[in-house]
């Protein structure tokens, strides 16, 4: 799939610089030859055999042209000559192509008899070969080695040899005479003390973009090469190459019309992200996108208008401190990824999205940590993308010394060698992965369908959130990064010095009557707890049989028991939603599918796919406060489906009219309702909740529950809170909560804000990114919302408090909005 071009016979002088093995000085000689020829005024098209990213950086610096990789394993044999010709034609016709080999001349992928070796590429491109041989530890034996290499494969044209690291002119002459006896042409001899080398470290050479004196080194190398190597003889060898019968490669192009938008793709570059194949940018442009390079070390924000992210390879572990220090950009990248901006992250790019690399906090998008390892992971891979199992395998390579823990999570990015690898994430709850991150480097010229798929997603996807400083609502440097979003809760926002609007517990302490009841039962703590009486009290409260009730250690345990005790294959969680169902399912080894229902945009539960055999939905939903009707919820029931409804805040809805436990349900097969006692009764530290529903499902959850999970005081709390007097008290609180909520909503609207319609003891509102952190400076803890799929850092959730406390918050929010230019009425939501 190389696009269209005119077929024909292309005259391209060319040669391959190869070696008997690695460590012979092949790269130094190759870069020197390229630089010396370019210094003569020739247009030199550089290329590198194999997947190596670093050498092409030096090639580009030496020639002023993009370095190209030629790898039959990753690109396919049929594309090697076309890719060479493409590099020789852009940006203008080259006078000569110089191809640097890899490892030893015949060393390719293990087990394939030299597939993807330098010799293989030389045959595919019909290029003559010049060997580079380190003679520092041999003399006449060099001729025997070269003779053997020349004779090993008669299909190759081994046209000569360059002697490297000669100890003295006499030493070099000895080797020359031996080569002459074997009819081997010597094209030059580089002395050992020529004073030229390229810096190296744990993964090989230091990239040219990181070496401050790379240009000076190349100038010196060019002069030394011109002095010791016969460039005219090399050009004679190159010009003897036969015409190349092939069509130059062109990237597959998207059909565009004049005036069509070209969405921007932010491409990581700079000294920490130096690994990217030239064809990647060309494919992006051909697909109607505009790649824009940004530097994660120095840039404070993504390019304006970013619609896609391509984070390639490099050395983030070397630049970890500088990358971690740039919190403004890390926050911007995290917000873009969580908003659903399509993201490809390979190796270094994946590390950049992790929670931590060698103790340095990074973007926190992927819940994993990386550390340096003494072992180098290096090799070709043939991988399947689980999201597209019917597509042909994709070929790539790994090259890293870091390891991640865990290696994968949720849906993997790839499967190869019998194991899962990497992360395919859907942080925005779109229903399909928008993040593809792994150690595997791929070459999109060899798998152009991946470029097309990425481009389709970018064209259809969202734009990254507003950059710092734009429109008065930028990222605030005082914002503390979030680790794993599914483990972040409102209590993480609290501080003794802050007024609490983050936690949805109704009051600062339990009612006096409940406290006295619990205190009167302290004498019974010596005995093991029994929950029978509490279970019966809950059953009576809801008019169900006792065996349809299971008391739990809070609602969080209920979700854990569902995840571990029940059988299902395709779990789905309706978002935005409380994070515990997702967390419990993932801990149990499931891959919950997020499904977005933005009720404030007119979306409804009708969109829930039929194939889900476990559906979890909140009612009212946390954090939005949306209340679904009984009719909507019961319409979700299907044969073979388990429907779980989280009613943690239902008791503060006056009359509980939308509860599935309020009114007749013909049968409860496949139905489970989760309730919590901790929020309304201010006993979050006691952990008290329960499950009600299908007898068989309740029994299975009970079998998965540890002994004595519900303690004596929690059981007593269930008995007290289900009594008639307690229920009358809750009914009064529900009415009061509605009044207090309306006071909060009216105040937010007076500030020009548009809070989401809520029937819960909390309100969610879009205030602008950075306002959350500024409210902390004003003394108020609010619940940040970027951890909820479908929302972002510009949203906060506010617990309903009494009017006086609410007025204090509203005054502080008014001051913050005025400072950030947000006091004007907001545009309507779309």
């Amino acid at each position: 799939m190389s696009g269209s071009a005119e077929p024909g016979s292309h005259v391209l002088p060319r040669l391959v610089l190869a070696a008997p093995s690695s460590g012979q000085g092949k790269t130094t000689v190759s870069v020197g030859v390229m630089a010396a020829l370019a210094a003569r005024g020739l247009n030199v098209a550089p290329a590198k055999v194999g997947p190596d990213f670093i050498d092409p950086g030096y090639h580009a610096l030496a020639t002023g042209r993009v370095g190209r990789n030629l790898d039959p394993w990753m690109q396919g044999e049929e594309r090697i000559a076309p890719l060479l010709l493409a590099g020789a034609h852009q940006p203008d016709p080259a006078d000569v192509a110089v191809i640097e080999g890899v490892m030893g001349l015949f060393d390719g992928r293990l087990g394939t008899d030299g597939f993807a070796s330098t010799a293989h590429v030389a045959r595919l491109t019909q290029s003559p070969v010049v060997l580079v041989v380190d003679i520092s530890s041999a003399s006449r034996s060099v001729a025997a080695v070269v003779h053997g290499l020349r004779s090993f494969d008669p299909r190759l044209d081994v046209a000569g040899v360059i002697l490297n690291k000669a100890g003295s002119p006499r030493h070099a002459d000895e080797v020359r005479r031996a080569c002459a006896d074997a009819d081997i042409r010597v094209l030059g001899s580089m002395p050992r003390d020529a004073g030229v080398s390229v810096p190296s470290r744990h993964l090989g050479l230091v990239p040219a973009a990181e070496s401050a004196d790379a240009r000076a080194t190349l100038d010196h190398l060019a002069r030394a090469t011109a002095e010791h190597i016969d460039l005219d003889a090399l050009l004679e060898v190159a010009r003897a190459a036969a015409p190349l019968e092939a069509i130059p490669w062109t990237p597959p192009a998207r059909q565009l019309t004049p005036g069509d938008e070209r969405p921007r793709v932010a491409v990581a570059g700079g000294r920490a992200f130096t690994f990217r194949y030239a064809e990647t940018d060309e494919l992006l442009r051909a697909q109607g996108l505009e790649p824009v390079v940004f530097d994660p070390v120095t840039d404070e924000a993504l390019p304006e208008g970013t619609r896609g992210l391509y984070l390639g390879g490099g050395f983030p572990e070397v630049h970890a401190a500088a990358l971690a220090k740039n919190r403004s950009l890390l926050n911007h990248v995290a917000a873009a990824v969580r908003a659903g901006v399509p993201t490809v992250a390979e190796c270094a790019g994946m590390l950049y999205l992790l929670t931590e690399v060698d103790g340095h906090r990074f973007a926190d998008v992927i819940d994993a940590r990386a550390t340096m390892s003494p072992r180098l992971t290096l090799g070709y891979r043939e991988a399947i993308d689980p999201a597209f199992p019917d597509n042909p395998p994709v070929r790539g390579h790994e090259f890293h010394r870091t390891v991640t823990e865990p290696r994968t999570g949720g849906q993997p990015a790839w499967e190869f060698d019998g194991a899962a690898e990497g992360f395919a994430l859907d942080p925005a709850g779109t229903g399909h992965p928008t993040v593809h991150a792994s150690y595997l480097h791929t070459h999109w010229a060899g798998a152009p369908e991946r470029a097309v798929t990425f481009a389709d997603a970018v064209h259809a996807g969202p734009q990254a959130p507003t950059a710092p400083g734009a429109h008065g609502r930028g990222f605030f440097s005082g914002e503390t990064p979030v680790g794993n979003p599914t483990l972040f809760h409102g209590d993480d926002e609290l501080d003794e010095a802050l007024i609490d609007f983050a936690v949805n517990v109704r009051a600062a302490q339990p009612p006096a009557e409940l406290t006295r009841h619990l205190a009167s039962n302290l004498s019974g703590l010596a005995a093991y707890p029994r929950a029978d009486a509490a279970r019966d009290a809950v059953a009576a409260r809801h008019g169900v049989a006792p065996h349809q009730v299971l008391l739990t250690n809070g609602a969080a345990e209920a979700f854990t028991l569902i995840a571990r005790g029940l059988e299902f294959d395709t779990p789905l969680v309706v978002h935005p939603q409380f994070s515990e169902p997702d967390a419990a399912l993932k801990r149990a080894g499931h891959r919950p599918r997020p499904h977005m229902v933005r009720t404030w945009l007119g979306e409804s539960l009708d969109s829930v796919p039929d194939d889900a055999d476990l559906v979890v939905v909140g009612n009212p939903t946390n954090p939005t406060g949306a209340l679904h009707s009984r009719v909507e919820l019961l319409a979700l029931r299907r044969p073979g489906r388990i429907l779980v409804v989280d009613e943690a805040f239902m008791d503060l809805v006056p009359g509980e009219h939308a509860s599935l436990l309020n009114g007749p349900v013909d049968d409860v097969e496949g139905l489970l309702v989760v309730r919590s006692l901790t929020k309304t009764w201010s006993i979050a530290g006691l952990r008290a909740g329960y499950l009600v529903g299908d007898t068989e499902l309740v029994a299975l959850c009970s079998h998965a529950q540890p002994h004595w999970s519900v303690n004596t005081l929690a059981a007593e709390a269930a008995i007290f809170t289900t009594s008639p007097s307690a229920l009358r008290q809750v009914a009064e609180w529900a009415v009061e909560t509605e009044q207090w909520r309306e006071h909060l909503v009216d105040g937010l609207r007076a500030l020009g804000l548009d809070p989401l319609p809520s029937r819960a003891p909390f309100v969610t509102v879009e205030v602008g990114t950075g306002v959350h952190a500024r409210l902390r400076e004003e003394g108020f803890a609010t619940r940040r919302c970027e951890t909820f799929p479908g929302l972002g850092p510009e949203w906060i959730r506010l617990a309903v408090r009494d009017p006086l406390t609410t007025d204090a918050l509203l005054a502080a929010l008014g001051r913050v909005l005025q400072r950030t230019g947000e006091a004007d009425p907001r545009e309507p939501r779309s």
Side-chain angles (χ1 to χ4, degrees), residues 356-402:
E356 189 177 280
V357 175
D358 265 352
H360 296 279
R361 185 165 289 277
F362 275 20
D364 284 330
V365 174
I366 299 173
D367 183 25
R369 288 165 169 77
T371 54
M372 287 293 292
S373 164
R375 178 176 174 271
L376 173 63
T377 299
L378 172 67
Y380 284 124
R381 308 286 184 257
E382 189 168 59
I384 295 292
D385 186 340
F388 302 95
D390 296 330
N391 284 359
V394 173
R395 290 176 168 182
H397 76 102
E398 284 190 289
F399 182 52
H400 56 92
R401 279 198 187 274
T402 57

Side-chain angles (χ1 to χ4, degrees), residues 92-237:
D92 48 25
D95 298 310
V96 61
V98 178
I99 306 168
E100 180 190 344
V102 63
M103 299 188 296
L105 176 59
F106 297 104
D107 302 328
R109 183 169 184 261
L110 293 177
T112 63
D113 297 328
F115 193 94
S117 66
T118 302
H120 188 190
V121 170
R123 293 196 303 268
L124 292 172
T125 61
Q126 303 171 53
S127 301
V129 175
V130 173
L131 292 169
V132 177
V133 182
D134 179 352
I135 66 170
S136 60
S137 300
S139 56
R140 289 183 58 80
S141 299
V142 171
V145 170
V146 175
H147 175 73
L149 291 168
R150 185 177 60 178
S151 305
F152 188 79
D153 185 348
R155 295 172 294 176
L156 282 185
D157 175 17
V158 177
V161 62
I162 294 172
L163 310 180
N164 193 30
K165 299 182 182 179
S168 65
R170 183 182 177 191
H171 176 206
D173 288 343
E174 180 77 3
V175 180
R176 284 177 184 273
R177 287 193 298 274
C179 287
D181 292 343
D183 194 25
I184 298 167
R185 187 179 185 184
V186 177
L187 301 170
S189 173
M190 292 290 287
R192 183 166 48 196
D193 59 355
V196 291
S197 63
V198 179
S200 63
R201 61 166 172 244
H202 62 279
L203 289 184
L205 299 181
V206 174
E210 295 188 56
S211 179
D213 57 354
R215 182 69 263 174
T217 299
L218 284 180
D219 290 343
H220 177 64
L221 181 56
R223 291 192 295 270
T225 300
E227 179 183 353
H228 296 288
I229 293 178
D230 189 342
L231 296 179
D232 291 328
L234 277 179
L235 288 171
E236 179 186 331
V237 169

